[in-house]
Amino acid sequence: MKKVFDRLNLNKAKIWYILLLLLAPLVSLLAIESIHRGSFTAALKWIQESSAAFVISYLFFLLFISTVLFIPKKLFIPFIILQLAFFSIVAFGSYQKFKLRGDYLTPTDLGLVKEGAAFANVLNGFLSVKMAMMAIIILAFIFGIVYYLMKITEPLKWKIRLILSVFAIAGIAAILLNPTVFSIRASAVGNVEEYQKLGLVGGFLNLKEESKVVHPTEYSKREINKIVESLPETEGVDEDFKPNVIVVLAEAFWDPLLLKNLSFEEDPIPYFRSLTKEHSSGELLTHIFGGGTINTELEIMTGMSTRFLPEGKESYNAQVNRPIDALPHVFRNQGYNTTAVHTFKNWFYDRNLTYKWLGYEKFVSMEFFSNPKMIGPYIDDRELMEQTVEELKKTEGPDFINTVTVSSHGPYDDIRYDPLPSCKNTPQLTKVPQYVLDLYCQVLKETDDSIRVLIEGVKELDEPTMVVIYGDHLPMLGYDYAVYREADYFKSIHAYEDYLKLQTTPLLVWDNYSEGKKEDLRMTPNFLGSYILSHAKRDKSPMFAMAEKVYEEGTHVIPKKPFYADEKIDENKLKEYQLLQYDTLFGEQYSYKKNPVKPHDDYFLGSEKMKITKLKMTEKDNLKVTGKHFVSNAKVFVNGEQQTTIFNDEKTLIASVPEKFKGKELEVIVKVLDDKENSIAESNGKKMMME
């Protein structure tokens, strides 16, 4: 062997360099799979059970690292460490998602990084002193490894490294273009199974490949027109009757009393439960657990189903990037005012853009709530409901309002209440899960009371009104389903009975005009929009007419495909529905040709547009801005520069003005900025001379 090395002109340092190149991918792969699977033992078991996927994964990391083999050693060795750190972070994030929500990273999750960061900012103690010390120790260890490897290795000749890099780039390209190579001898279906059999890289790349939207062979203008023309006309439309319609997405709203092994001395949702005894109510079988609120919301608003989207492409808002004939558009076409109200950041889930495509006239986000009462890091839902009632009061004619709550959002291990009242259930849970359940029950009480605020406010208006309230998904009650597991709520997340338990939320349809008619409801979110239109006696667009047709034919829920048989789903009855959805989201929107869909011409953010009516300098050389519809987040800009601003009330702002502006003409405008410093609302401009 020594003679072979001598002929190749390989000294000890170069041999170490080659060993580093061969071993680094193996170490990276084992470390990443151990993180992603939760243990080193699980990673070794994967190697035994999916040897082909392991070999391809090793080859992927070998080629990936070798793509930069041509760079100097002082950059190459740190790159090895950096790629390990990057993939480890991805693996850890995916593992955490699995523990919290039951599935791993999807391609569309990468587009939700800003959403994850936004909620990470509200976590108390996230960056503890202990974690900081651990990070310092890890960094010191990494620097030590880099220093040692720099000393004992010597790179191969530059020309050899360049040739190897070229081959590596070609190899990586081949794998990326044909990710199914990971599934040799290992068939897999679905998010969890893809990752468990194919590994982190193989699972992700396979899901990415499967998430591509396939153009249906039967899709054509003629076929879509045929489908639209075959839809029955809406029955029961009353042009003289236009009730207000309020749809309330109650964040993580669920009934803890379903935890039958626990005994509660107090009902956390007594008001909501009292309404279900007198009004139509039941169950909404959602398609998400613990997060992904926008999916449930948009299914209801559009009448379309995420179950018709490819695996890994189920982040619904990413698909809405053009006008959609959704509920806001349908109601607006029939003389309604259309408003969305939500007490979180305007850009979260791209709602500021998505709501425009859906046909809303305006979106009142958290930035337009003046000095609201808070519950921990979130605006109190009662503030939201009061704003919803105000939106009803200020308009002429009927209203469609989509209200999205947030104060019951998880995680539930923070300090929102001091002291935290107990659920007073029998002592069955360990300390942390008990705290999580106690906090969740308390935020539920707050949400339940906010529902009371809304219903009582609507009653005072004495207008025909429908209020639809639904939970978007079950709450994440602890790490790895801690509360659910300790309460023995389910046995396996793969059994249909347990799938239903983890996906089903409460649904209520309250109104003050249907004369006591009560229905027992059970449906998936895509059918709720058409039900709302029928209950309001409104005409339906083709998508909602299609949803109603399928519903009337006996299909009330569309679960995951493996559970179609449990619900006796006939896929043939869904083909036209799927084709119409494809036309709407990805096709030519042939179904809109006769009735074009476009956003409202004057869509804006805020409850009302701000207006400056008067400017005046005070005795203290401050600028008094008088007008209307100002909010506490409003900022005064003078000649393009933001000034320190004091909010007096919705009619008055006081701004400091620097000395440099004396003797000059001032051009004043009021803006509302979000947390990204983007201007999301602006008043008219007004000028004055500063003496």
Side-chain angles (χ1 to χ4, degrees), residues 310-374:
E311 180 85 19
K313 205 177 185 69
E314 292 184 351
S315 183
Y316 206 167
N317 63 302
Q319 321 311 325
V320 179
N321 51 23
R322 54 181 173 172
I324 300 293
D325 199 9
L327 282 181
H329 189 273
V330 174
F331 275 105
R332 185 159 55 82
N333 278 355
Q334 298 180 65
Y336 277 67
N337 305 292
T338 56
T339 303
V341 191
H342 179 38
T343 39
F344 205 59
K345 306 173 193 294
N346 76 93
W347 50 263
F348 200 83
Y349 283 133
D350 295 320
R351 280 192 175 95
N352 54 343
L353 300 174
T354 302
Y355 283 164
K356 179 180 180 180
W357 296 131
L358 298 184
Y360 288 102
E361 295 171 348
K362 61 181 178 179
F363 171 29
V364 188
S365 58
M366 70 176 293
E367 293 89 352
F368 299 93
F369 283 74
S370 291
N371 300 320
K373 179 184 175 183
M374 307 294 289

Side-chain angles (χ1 to χ4, degrees), residues 50-278:
S50 302
S51 55
F54 163 71
V55 171
I56 300 298
S57 295
Y58 171 78
L59 182 61
F60 173 87
F61 280 100
L62 175 62
L63 293 172
F64 182 76
I65 291 172
S66 298
T67 57
V68 295
L69 195 60
F70 64 91
I71 64 177
K73 180 178 73 170
K74 62 182 179 181
L75 296 177
F76 178 65
I77 292 176
F79 172 80
I80 292 176
I81 304 299
L82 287 174
Q83 63 85 30
L84 173 58
F86 170 77
F87 282 107
S88 295
I89 291 170
V90 173
F92 180 73
S94 184
Y95 175 71
Q96 291 298 310
K97 183 187 176 188
F98 174 73
K99 284 296 184 181
L100 291 169
R101 292 176 53 182
D103 63 351
Y104 293 108
L105 183 73
T106 67
T108 50
D109 286 337
L110 300 182
L112 299 176
V113 173
K114 66 182 188 301
E115 281 77 8
F119 275 117
N121 288 335
V122 305
L123 299 181
N124 292 321
F126 182 71
L127 293 176
S128 64
V129 174
K130 185 177 179 181
M131 290 183 69
M133 290 298 295
M134 183 65 69
I136 292 172
I137 293 171
I138 292 173
L139 285 173
F141 179 69
I142 289 172
F143 279 122
I145 291 176
V146 171
Y147 176 76
Y148 180 72
L149 291 174
M150 292 287 286
K151 285 189 67 176
I152 67 170
T153 60
E154 179 184 336
L156 302 172
K157 290 181 179 180
W158 185 80
K159 288 183 179 180
I160 295 175
R161 301 199 324 266
L162 180 61
I163 292 170
L164 291 175
S165 291
V166 171
F167 277 109
I169 292 170
I172 280 288
I175 291 177
L176 294 177
L177 291 172
N178 185 30
T180 54
V181 68
F182 284 93
S183 56
I184 295 175
R185 295 170 54 194
S187 60
V189 178
N191 178 298
V192 174
E193 195 175 14
E194 296 271 5
Y195 277 109
Q196 289 178 344
K197 289 192 175 183
L198 308 183
L200 176 67
V201 174
F204 181 83
L205 292 178
N206 257 41
L207 281 173
K208 191 172 186 301
E209 184 70 15
E210 292 167 6
S211 70
K212 292 179 180 178
V213 177
V214 178
H215 181 85
T217 55
E218 63 271 35
Y219 177 69
S220 67
K221 183 177 181 179
R222 180 180 178 182
E223 186 63 26
I224 295 299
N225 288 338
K226 179 182 174 183
I227 292 171
V228 172
E229 289 169 3
S230 70
L231 294 171
E233 291 186 8
T234 306
E235 296 181 356
V237 176
D238 186 346
E239 293 296 340
D240 298 321
F241 178 71
K242 293 184 178 180
N244 298 315
V245 177
I246 303 171
V247 180
V248 179
L249 184 160
E251 169 63 38
F253 191 75
W254 183 65
D255 184 3
L257 299 192
L258 291 172
L259 299 170
K260 299 298 184 183
N261 290 334
L262 302 180
S263 298
F264 295 83
E265 294 183 15
E266 188 177 2
D267 185 354
I269 51 172
Y271 186 77
F272 179 86
R273 200 180 306 278
S274 70
L275 296 179
T276 63
K277 294 176 181 178
E278 299 177 3

Side-chain angles (χ1 to χ4, degrees), residues 388-405:
T388 299
V389 175
E390 284 302 311
E391 294 300 328
L392 281 178
K393 290 179 179 179
K394 68 177 56 172
T395 56
E396 292 184 9
D399 287 271
F400 172 78
I401 302 178
N402 179 33
T403 298
V404 181
T405 77

Side-chain angles (χ1 to χ4, degrees), residues 345-616:
K345 306 173 193 294
N346 76 93
W347 50 263
F348 200 83
Y349 283 133
D350 295 320
R351 280 192 175 95
N352 54 343
L353 300 174
T354 302
Y355 283 164
K356 179 180 180 180
W357 296 131
L358 298 184
Y360 288 102
E361 295 171 348
K362 61 181 178 179
F363 171 29
V364 188
S365 58
M366 70 176 293
E367 293 89 352
F368 299 93
F369 283 74
S370 291
N371 300 320
K373 179 184 175 183
M374 307 294 289
I375 295 180
Y378 306 118
I379 294 176
D380 189 334
D381 283 342
R382 282 167 285 236
E383 297 263 349
L384 174 67
M385 299 309 184
E386 288 171 0
Q387 182 65 40
T388 299
V389 175
E390 284 302 311
E391 294 300 328
L392 281 178
K393 290 179 179 179
K394 68 177 56 172
T395 56
E396 292 184 9
D399 287 271
F400 172 78
I401 302 178
N402 179 33
T403 298
V404 181
T405 77
V406 76
S407 70
S408 52
H409 202 290
Y412 307 104
D413 55 0
D414 55 18
I415 305 173
R416 296 184 213 182
Y417 306 94
D418 190 15
L420 173 64
S422 174
C423 283
K424 299 179 182 177
N425 59 292
T426 53
Q428 174 132 0
L429 305 180
T430 54
K431 185 177 180 180
V432 174
Q434 183 63 58
Y435 182 92
V436 167
L437 182 59
D438 287 345
L439 196 149
Y440 177 67
C441 285
Q442 189 59 34
V443 297
L444 268 188
K445 291 178 185 177
E446 308 282 6
T447 299
D448 188 63
D449 191 53
S450 75
I451 293 171
R452 177 192 60 78
V453 170
L454 174 63
I455 299 298
E456 290 184 357
V458 168
K459 286 180 178 179
E460 288 179 7
L461 287 177
D462 195 26
E463 296 177 3
T465 303
M466 174 193 348
V467 179
V468 179
I469 303 170
Y470 67 93
D472 58 331
H473 55 70
L474 265 69
M476 289 188 296
L477 294 181
Y479 186 74
D480 195 18
Y481 304 91
V483 172
Y484 301 108
R485 287 189 183 280
E486 291 193 14
D488 199 26
Y489 184 60
F490 68 93
K491 304 296 182 184
S492 167
I493 60 174
H494 303 297
Y496 190 55
E497 181 182 353
D498 293 324
Y499 166 78
L500 293 178
K501 288 182 178 180
L502 290 173
Q503 309 288 146
T504 302
T505 64
L507 171 63
L508 168 71
V509 179
W510 177 96
D511 70 60
N512 56 7
Y513 60 81
S514 62
E515 301 176 354
K517 294 178 182 178
K518 186 179 186 304
E519 296 180 76
D520 293 324
L521 304 174
R522 181 178 183 262
M523 64 185 77
T524 39
N526 55 292
F527 294 116
L528 184 54
S530 63
Y531 178 89
I532 290 169
L533 289 168
S534 291
H535 202 71
K537 302 181 180 180
R538 308 277 25 100
D539 197 7
K540 297 182 182 70
S541 62
M543 185 59 69
F544 292 107
M546 173 59 74
E548 182 181 47
K549 177 185 176 183
V550 173
Y551 188 87
E552 292 297 326
E553 289 175 350
T555 301
H556 294 179
V557 300
I558 304 177
K560 281 186 175 180
K561 231 173 190 178
F563 301 127
Y564 272 20
D566 296 273
E567 289 289 343
K568 297 180 174 58
I569 301 292
D570 182 353
E571 284 195 66
N572 291 321
K573 292 183 178 180
L574 299 178
K575 285 185 178 179
E576 290 186 344
Y577 194 176
Q578 288 180 270
L579 203 59
L580 196 58
Q581 177 167 317
Y582 176 86
D583 176 62
T584 301
L585 289 179
F586 310 111
E588 300 298 323
Q589 294 191 329
Y590 294 129
S591 59
Y592 294 172
K593 297 306 179 184
K594 290 184 179 179
N595 297 294
V597 177
K598 67 174 185 176
H600 188 261
D601 293 333
D602 197 26
Y603 169 80
F604 67 95
L605 270 61
S607 179
E608 299 284 354
K609 292 185 178 181
M610 298 181 295
K611 185 177 181 180
I612 300 174
T613 56
K614 185 178 179 181
L615 301 175
K616 182 182 178 181

